[in-house]
Amino acid sequence: MTEAPRPPSLVQRLLRTVLLPLGLMWVAGTVVSFAVAQYFAQHAFDRSLLDDAYLLSAHVRPEHGQLTLDLTPKEVNTILYDQDETMYFSVRGPDGQVLAGDPGLAPNAHSGPAYEFADIAFAGKILRSVTLHNGLPARFDVVVAQTTNERNAVLRELMFYSLLPQIALLALLWAWLRRSIRRDVQPLSTLQKALGNRSSEDLSPVPTEASTRDLQALGLAINALLQRLDRSIRAQKEFAGNVAHELRTPLAGIRALAEYGLGHAEPEVWRQQLVAIAGSEVRATSLVDRLLAMAVAAEAESGLRLQPLALDAAVRDCVLRFIRRADEAGVDLGARGIDQPVWVAAEPTLLDGILTNLIDNALRYGVSASVAEPAVTVAVEQAGDEVRLSVQDNGPGAPHEQQVELADRGTQGEAGQLLGQGAGLGLALVAQYARLMNARMALRSGEDGRGWVCEITFRAVASPAS
């Protein structure tokens, strides 16, 4: 299998992108400059040739009824002298007869202009000629021609001395661009090495110093990606640790119940152990659901859309779901402040998660044997543009310093530890849900230091119907 050709480097691509158009423009400019120079050089030589023709025509005079050139050969040579070129001339009368000069040097056909230039072949050479048509006082033609060695040499020198500096400048431009581009893309190479040499576990930020805003923006984008990956990996590790830690207790309990049942032969003992195993499985399932909810909440920070929700209706529905469980536990579960509509900016699933976890925690840990009539109260209170949702119990409560720790993931209160149930994740979920909905959570002790209160403060909004 043939190996695919390696793509060019960024420096090569930039040099090619910059220098190729510059080279084409340079070639086009050189061609145009040479054409302009050739035109003016040709014009200068032609003008000199025309001056010679006018000088000769000035010495053509009628004599005895005929036209004659009143110049001696020496005078003609003096007029037409050129140290680099060979000069030819002829003077012809009205009927075409040669008055002087080379008989084979014929004039151009008269087509209107007083003089005409042409490239002709004469005596085995390519000559530049001018034909001067003179009509006063008698018609005659003067033809002057010369070889083109000098003008060709001038054009070659002009091309050489114009091309050489431009080639030198283009080479200097190439060297300067190559050095500048290499310097500007050096931070990109540094960034590549920094990322290529680090281990998969190293998610620390990369250096963002760069010579251009684009490279700096690239470094900042990579660092933002590394931060998101770091948060995601830490959340996954934390989730795995929570699962491993929190499932150990219910699984160990299920195994102990099964071993105890297997150690007895009475069916009634088996039945009791199976009921206990079923209850432990329910708690383990609930634990897994909460752990998954915590992971989802951590990933839901982007794209979450809040909407107006009726908090009174949500509280009413959630309390009704827990009434039977509260009655079985002998807890007086009630609600206050839901007799009139109260609207908040929230997300339905997260709001239901807050209510469910707060009431569940209160029923689990807010029951104390020292309290004759255990009670859990859910209250809704609006003050200005804020709405406070609170869940209060009259159980054992918790010290102030422990209340601060309870909002951290995996922290249980003393009652939960004594009961050996729950995951200590309820309030962590509540805190996470509240933060995602731009709400505030606060923990405090209840009246007379009995029980405790969890408050969630939402932003009040107008009813959608208003």
Side-chain angles (χ1 to χ4, degrees), residues 259-407:
E259 290 177 351
Y260 182 82
L262 291 174
H264 293 77
E266 297 83 359
E268 182 61 26
V269 175
W270 294 349
R271 182 180 180 281
Q272 293 175 356
Q273 299 308 108
L274 288 175
V275 170
I277 289 174
S280 297
E281 188 278 333
V282 170
R283 289 192 293 272
T285 301
S286 176
L287 170 62
V288 172
D289 290 341
R290 291 191 180 192
L291 290 171
L292 290 174
M294 177 67 78
V296 171
E299 297 295 332
E301 295 192 36
S302 61
L304 185 66
R305 300 183 62 180
L306 304 182
Q307 56 183 297
L309 294 178
L311 182 60
D312 56 301
V315 170
R316 186 182 300 106
D317 294 341
C318 192
V319 169
L320 290 176
R321 290 202 308 269
F322 280 91
I323 283 292
R324 181 176 178 180
R325 176 178 164 187
D327 291 341
E328 292 176 353
V331 178
D332 180 15
L333 177 60
R336 291 187 292 104
I338 60 173
D339 53 343
Q340 57 183 359
V342 179
W343 294 84
V344 296
E347 198 279 331
T349 303
L350 299 185
L351 179 58
D352 182 73
I354 287 178
L355 290 169
T356 299
N357 280 284
L358 288 180
I359 297 176
D360 178 75
N361 275 355
L363 292 177
R364 285 178 181 272
Y365 313 128
V367 179
S368 174
S370 61
V371 179
E373 298 180 356
V376 173
T377 303
V378 183
V380 176
E381 181 182 359
Q382 182 169 359
D385 59 350
E386 291 185 342
V387 175
R388 284 191 293 273
L389 167 68
S390 63
V391 177
Q392 178 178 357
D393 62 61
N394 59 352
H400 176 72
E401 60 274 8
Q402 193 175 15
Q403 291 176 8
V404 177
E405 297 177 0
L406 281 172

